[in-house]
Amino acid sequence: MSMDFAPPKYAQVMRAIQERIESGEYAPGDMLPSETQLVRELGVGRTTVVRALQTLAMQGWIEREHGRGSFVKGRPESGADRVRPSLTATEQGESPESLVEVARVSAPRYVAKLLGVAERTPVIMRRRAAREGDLPSAVETVWIPLEIAVGSDLDKPEPLRSGIRRHLQAVKHLRFDHITERVTARKPTKDEVELLGSSNPVLGVLSTVHDPAGTVLLAMSLALPGSLHELEDVYKVS
Amino acid sequence: MSMDFAPPKYAQVMRAIQERIESGEYAPGDMLPSETQLVRELGVGRTTVVRALQTLAMQGWIEREHGRGSFVKGRPESGADRVRPSLTATEQGESPESLVEVARVSAPRYVAKLLGVAERTPVIMRRRAAREGDLPSAVETVWIPLEIAVGSDLDKPEPLRSGIRRHLQAVKHLRFDHITERVTARKPTKDEVELLGSSNPVLGVLSTVHDPAGTVLLAMSLALPGSLHELEDVYKVS
DNA sequence: AATGGCCACTCGTCCGCACAAGTGGCCGAG
DNA sequence: CTCGGCCACTTGTGCGGACGAGTGGCCATT
């Protein structure tokens, strides 16, 4: 009784072609074998070959031209290699040295706006100074509504070794769904200058973390010194 | 002799289902009619229905569960609402007032690196000061390799009314495929201070524009005053 | 030499059919 | 009542065939 699963044939065909592209056997610009040739070569039906080719085209590996053939484009860029500073911040663990402050404060206007609550509503604030080697590399401030923080230890000055995301998932069963992020350039605040040891311009990132229903779970403010951080992004042009 | 084109049937099936989802006839969570029911109802083959449903699933409209059925998820979020400053810059037209300078210069190190040429290679530089109303809102500098610029009028100090992208497409048949972009925070250069009328921190955007083969067509450097610009982004969390 | 038609080749779409495999309810044996 | 098997339903995958339509080269006619 063998428990071996064979992936579907169309996926095998896709893999075969992807490997030939990555190995350089099929170079960008080359024409692929025609559908009927692949049918003969691989011993599958045309339906299967067509499905594989169309999926590859949708994923950006190849381009298909009616009446001419299918042509290699290369390994598609995922666009997922984009830097997402807010997500990183929620996943990084806190250490005793990096955790700067945990406090219950009344929400400043911009935080209240992000959280969708009234100004001066009490919230929990956690601030952390990330380090790269010896040097301070970023200041991350998280603001948590009381409803979310209650019973989660987030109001206690103990470092969260596993990061906020895992912590909220484990303790309160909250799932992160998406993050909205706004990046600008600004001067660091006085607090940030102290922690960073420099008053050079910073990338200011304001973000909110949402659950699947769209409810705001957290707000965040990051200060990333421009001399240390670059946000890279690759995108297709229509 | 009628010239009417009918879209392919699988696309018609997709449209029909999308409309029913948007009208609320099929609400999120609902089970769609089974494949065989849709076959009867719409008078097409199962192949067609399956292709439509699988494409809808790939686009995030529905979810399919083996042995259970297909279920409505709702209109998918595009994620394409992200701000792409470099793309905007290549599409914006130049006006006589905004165009600051066009010159043939030897490429500074960082530009040579972006373009993949030797330092001090001659290149064309075009600089533009974008305005929002009366106020200067950004400085955009484009660097064009001579091979690309030759015979394109890009080296002439005439404003490109239609933007660089359209111009290169029309005159030299060059197609933009993707853009890579690196954003950081920095102080504006002296030139930029003059044009912007302020020395507040700017978002510094360095980008390269590529054709489908990956060749670099242009390099760009943007200075976006932090007080005026925010780069917004929304992303899913795995 | 230029032109237009033919033809072989390509991909695009669609059909009907078949069988595998997952799910859940019904029902009879225990 | 409980459990296990059966069955009807679902989607997943695969085949072969058919016709349409776009492309480009060959070739005879002009």
Side-chain angles (χ1 to χ4, degrees):
Chain A
M1 221 182 21
S2 69
M3 281 291 294
D4 48 5
F5 285 89
K9 282 201 190 172
Y10 73 91
Q12 295 177 32
V13 173
M14 286 177 62
R15 279 261 308 172
I17 294 174
Q18 285 167 348
E19 278 168 10
R20 294 184 193 181
I21 290 177
E22 297 207 314
S23 79
E25 186 180 338
Y26 297 160
D30 282 3
M31 183 174 155
L32 287 179
S34 79
E35 293 172 358
T36 45
Q37 273 181 42
L38 286 171
V39 165
R40 278 197 294 271
E41 181 182 337
L42 303 174
V44 298
R46 192 167 90 106
T47 316
T48 308
V49 169
V50 167
R51 185 167 175 194
L53 292 177
Q54 282 179 333
T55 308
L56 285 173
M58 274 195 270
Q59 296 182 357
W61 287 82
I62 64 175
E63 211 162 304
R64 286 160 68 71
E65 283 183 55
H66 191 168
R68 302 224 311 131
S70 298
F71 300 87
V72 177
K73 286 183 70 180
R75 163 181 236 103
E77 346 242 347
S78 58
D81 49 356
R82 182 156 109 254
V83 180
R84 286 158 301 189
S86 313
L87 179 57
T88 310
T90 67
E91 288 180 337
Q92 214 123 62
E94 296 167 348
S95 66
E97 314 84 55
S98 68
L99 191 58
V100 174
E101 186 184 2
V102 177
R104 178 177 169 141
V105 300
S106 80
R109 191 205 316 276
Y110 75 98
V111 171
K113 211 153 200 169
L114 288 172
L115 292 176
V117 302
E119 205 174 333
R120 311 195 45 184
T121 307
V123 296
I124 304 298
M125 183 204 82
R126 300 181 72 89
R127 177 165 288 169
R128 177 171 172 276
R131 296 180 170 277
E132 192 90 16
D134 270 349
L135 300 169
S137 66
V139 177
E140 305 167 358
T141 312
V142 185
W143 314 80
I144 308 136
L146 287 188
E147 314 89 81
I148 304 287
V150 62
S152 71
D153 297 337
L154 254 53
D155 55 341
K156 305 211 172 68
E158 318 300 329
L160 303 173
R161 296 281 177 175
S162 58
I164 290 191
R165 184 180 173 191
R166 281 174 183 284
H167 187 81
L168 277 177
Q169 159 83 51
V171 178
K172 299 208 55 176
H173 231 69
L174 294 173
R175 264 186 46 219
F176 288 11
D177 183 76
H178 63 281
I179 297 179
T180 83
E181 196 171 82
R182 278 153 43 214
V183 178
T184 189
R186 59 174 172 85
K187 290 190 194 131
T189 64
K190 286 209 181 77
D191 288 353
E192 289 164 351
V193 170
E194 242 175 62
L195 291 166
L196 293 172
S198 144
S199 59
N200 286 328
V202 296
L203 285 166
V205 182
L206 284 182
S207 56
T208 46
V209 178
H210 304 256
D211 70 6
T215 311
V216 179
L217 301 177
L218 307 171
M220 259 182 297
S221 166
L222 314 183
L224 314 176
S227 52
L228 300 177
H229 292 87
E230 276 185 346
L231 306 182
E232 186 167 347
D233 192 4
V234 180
Y235 50 83
K236 282 259 174 211
V237 173
S238 65
Chain B
M1 229 198 351
S2 68
M3 281 291 294
D4 47 4
F5 284 87
K9 284 199 189 170
Y10 74 91
Q12 295 179 32
V13 173
M14 286 177 62
R15 279 259 309 172
I17 294 174
Q18 285 167 348
E19 278 168 11
R20 294 184 193 180
I21 290 177
E22 297 207 315
S23 78
E25 185 180 339
Y26 298 158
D30 282 4
M31 182 174 155
L32 288 179
S34 80
E35 293 172 358
T36 46
Q37 273 181 43
L38 286 171
V39 165
R40 278 197 294 272
E41 182 182 336
L42 303 173
V44 298
R46 191 165 90 107
T47 314
T48 309
V49 170
V50 166
R51 184 168 175 189
L53 292 176
Q54 282 179 335
T55 307
L56 286 173
M58 273 194 272
Q59 296 182 357
W61 287 84
I62 65 175
E63 212 162 303
R64 287 160 68 70
E65 283 183 56
H66 191 168
R68 304 223 313 132
S70 298
F71 301 87
V72 177
K73 284 182 70 178
R75 167 182 232 101
E77 348 238 348
S78 60
D81 49 354
R82 178 157 110 256
V83 179
R84 287 156 302 187
S86 312
L87 179 58
T88 310
T90 67
E91 287 180 338
Q92 214 125 61
E94 297 167 349
S95 66
E97 315 85 56
S98 69
L99 190 59
V100 174
E101 186 184 2
V102 178
R104 178 179 169 140
V105 300
S106 80
R109 192 204 315 275
Y110 75 98
V111 171
K113 210 152 202 170
L114 288 173
L115 292 177
V117 301
E119 204 173 333
R120 312 194 46 186
T121 306
V123 296
I124 306 298
M125 183 203 80
R126 299 182 73 90
R127 177 165 288 169
R128 176 170 172 277
R131 294 180 171 278
E132 194 91 15
D134 270 348
L135 300 170
S137 66
V139 177
E140 305 167 359
T141 311
V142 185
W143 314 80
I144 308 136
L146 288 188
E147 313 89 80
I148 305 287
V150 62
S152 72
D153 295 339
L154 254 52
D155 55 342
K156 306 213 171 67
E158 319 301 327
L160 303 173
R161 295 283 176 174
S162 58
I164 289 191
R165 184 181 173 190
R166 282 175 182 284
H167 187 81
L168 278 178
Q169 158 84 52
V171 178
K172 299 209 53 174
H173 232 70
L174 294 173
R175 265 183 47 218
F176 288 10
D177 182 77
H178 62 280
I179 296 179
T180 82
E181 198 171 79
R182 276 152 46 213
V183 179
T184 188
R186 59 174 171 86
K187 290 190 194 128
T189 64
K190 287 208 180 78
D191 288 354
E192 289 164 352
V193 170
E194 244 174 62
L195 291 166
L196 294 171
S198 144
S199 60
N200 285 329
V202 295
L203 285 166
V205 182
L206 284 182
S207 55
T208 46
V209 178
H210 303 255
D211 72 5
T215 311
V216 179
L217 301 176
L218 307 171
M220 258 181 297
S221 165
L222 314 182
L224 315 176
S227 51
L228 300 176
H229 292 86
E230 276 185 345
L231 306 182
E232 187 167 345
D233 191 6
V234 180
Y235 50 83
K236 281 259 176 209
V237 173
S238 66

